[in-house]
Amino acid sequence: MNWKLKKTKEKVKCSYKTLYIADNLIEKINKIAENNDTSFNNVVISMIESCLNEKKSGKA
């Protein structure tokens, strides 16, 4: 699965949700965020959007 970090300047109307995430996934996401000089949230949102786009285009 190939995903790209979205630019944080592209703001859209958003809402808060709480996720229960395993500690090992948090560590991996934090590492990706740190390596790309971005936020944990941006990494998670970028991954979700990428997965949804792949499914929509029939790649999943």
Side-chain angles (χ1 to χ4, degrees):
M1 173 183 336
N2 294 324
W3 58 274
K4 296 179 184 175
L5 287 171
K6 73 182 228 178
K7 296 179 182 176
T8 56
K9 301 286 184 199
E10 299 173 14
K11 300 290 184 180
V12 295
K13 185 177 186 277
C14 298
S15 301
Y16 286 99
K17 288 290 183 184
T18 302
L19 298 172
Y20 189 78
I21 304 174
D23 288 344
N24 66 323
L25 291 178
I26 290 171
E27 290 173 16
K28 290 177 184 179
I29 295 167
N30 276 332
K31 182 73 116 182
I32 292 168
E34 182 180 312
N35 290 341
N36 289 278
D37 193 31
T38 192
S39 67
F40 178 95
N41 187 73
N42 189 41
V43 173
V44 172
I45 296 304
S46 297
M47 289 176 166
I48 292 170
E49 287 178 345
S50 179
C51 289
L52 291 175
N53 288 336
E54 284 184 14
K55 186 169 184 138
K56 186 187 284 187
S57 68
K59 294 181 183 176

